[in-house]
Amino acid sequence: MRTRPLLVAERGTAVIEFALVLPFMSMLMAGVLSYGIYFWRANALQEVAAGAARAAIAGVSQAERRRFVDEALDAQIPQLIGLAASDVARTVADTGTTLTLDLRYDGSRDMMMGAGLIPLPSTVIHRRAVIRLAGL
């Protein structure tokens, strides 16, 4: 028989410590991943908006500028992993002197952004690019 007291026994302590730490580490990793995806998508949408707005500068008329914006968005958005052009709502306001491009991505259907496990700033990412049209 063993004469060691139960409180001195060290068998299984690593398993118990792991079981206590695992939920916290899992939540920390999920938070890092969720916020990383959120900020990556926000930055990528801003870059796409800026690129599409720059493409509009070459247009002479409002219709041509709108076509250049749509072509640039349709070419750039699918290159973003996990996004389709249909996932991003776009609004173009062309006053003749400035062009404003608003992009809105609803991440509620996104697995990491819409899960609700980690509270994010918002599931909707809104980015805007404003340019002054050349020669005006």
Side-chain angles (χ1 to χ4, degrees):
M1 278 208 189
R2 293 187 145 187
T3 58
R4 262 182 11 168
L6 186 59
L7 294 176
V8 180
E10 293 183 12
R11 258 184 89 178
T13 57
V15 173
I16 293 171
E17 290 171 358
F18 180 73
L20 291 173
V21 172
L22 181 65
F24 297 110
M25 291 302 292
S26 298
M27 290 297 288
L28 180 66
M29 291 305 294
V32 168
L33 188 61
S34 295
Y35 270 85
I37 288 172
Y38 177 85
F39 289 125
W40 175 78
R41 291 219 192 281
N43 183 55
L45 283 176
Q46 184 63 51
E47 291 298 318
V48 167
R54 281 191 300 271
I57 292 174
V60 176
S61 66
Q62 287 183 343
E64 190 176 30
R65 286 190 290 269
R66 176 62 194 241
R67 183 172 55 86
F68 287 158
V69 167
D70 287 337
E71 288 174 358
L73 290 175
D74 291 339
Q76 293 177 24
I77 290 174
Q79 294 177 1
L80 304 177
I81 298 170
L83 288 183
S86 61
D87 291 341
V88 180
R90 54 184 90 169
T91 305
V92 179
D94 188 345
T95 64
T97 57
T98 60
L99 182 129
T100 304
L101 172 61
D102 286 311
L103 297 181
R104 250 180 220 286
Y105 170 68
D106 184 6
S108 60
R109 293 182 300 160
D110 194 322
M111 187 173 87
M112 289 306 292
M113 288 180 58
L117 183 64
I118 305 296
L120 294 173
S122 173
T123 56
V124 176
I125 297 174
H126 176 238
R127 292 294 177 256
R128 172 178 288 168
V130 179
I131 60 164
R132 183 169 176 230
L133 299 172
L136 299 175

